[in-house]
Amino acid sequence: MNEVKFNIRLYFTGGMKRLTDRIDSTDNLTPQRIVLNAMTELFDSLSEDEIEMIRLRYMKGLTLSEVASRYSISERTVRNHTNPTVLQVKEIIARAKKNELIDRKEEIECQ
């Protein structure tokens, strides 16, 4: 399972929130909390249909063709509704990794 699919599944199952709360229950902006907040903001901005298309693709494992047939739309339309979200999830993950590396570097330099 790729990183994007893993994070989307983790978010929709509630696992991301549980893990984040376990790491830090004070609502501090830890890397995990930043990812959770960014993904919450992203998914809150989507329509119900877009969320359902994401769920069908990444939670249920349906193909573009299967999702398209459920909505009676083309695969291209499904792609147009889901790909921007997937790209944003990739960016969220990349930013979190970059921030984590910066934090680790600063921690090492302080020692």
Side-chain angles (χ1 to χ4, degrees), residues 5 31 38 51 54 57-58 68 71 73 95-97 106 110:
K5 184 175 183 177
I51 291 172
I54 297 285
R57 292 225 35 228
Y58 293 93
Y71 280 88
I73 57 178
R95 278 195 314 260
K97 284 181 175 180
E106 288 173 357
C110 288

Side-chain angles (χ1 to χ4, degrees), residues 12 42-55 71 81 85:
F12 280 121
L42 171 62
F43 288 116
D44 284 352
S45 73
L46 300 177
S47 71
E48 289 298 317
D49 284 340
E50 289 169 327
I51 291 172
E52 187 58 23
M53 286 182 205
I54 297 285
R55 282 193 173 132
Y71 280 88
H81 283 280
T85 302

Side-chain angles (χ1 to χ4, degrees), residues 21 26-28 37 39 45 51 53 79 102-104:
D21 289 345
T26 64
D27 288 335
N28 287 335
N37 291 348
M39 288 187 67
S45 73
I51 291 172
M53 286 182 205
R79 203 176 294 120
I102 290 169
D103 289 346
R104 284 185 186 165

Side-chain angles (χ1 to χ4, degrees), residues 43-105:
F43 288 116
D44 284 352
S45 73
L46 300 177
S47 71
E48 289 298 317
D49 284 340
E50 289 169 327
I51 291 172
E52 187 58 23
M53 286 182 205
I54 297 285
R55 282 193 173 132
L56 291 172
R57 292 225 35 228
Y58 293 93
M59 298 292 292
K60 299 205 184 243
L62 273 60
T63 64
L64 282 170
S65 176
E66 292 168 328
V67 174
S69 69
R70 284 196 179 195
Y71 280 88
S72 300
I73 57 178
S74 71
E75 288 180 32
R76 183 168 193 76
T77 302
V78 173
R79 203 176 294 120
N80 289 341
H81 283 280
T82 58
N83 280 3
T85 302
V86 171
L87 289 174
Q88 287 180 301
V89 169
K90 285 180 182 179
E91 289 172 10
I92 290 167
I93 295 166
R95 278 195 314 260
K97 284 181 175 180
K98 182 179 177 185
N99 288 341
E100 190 172 323
L101 288 174
I102 290 169
D103 289 346
R104 284 185 186 165
K105 183 179 177 190

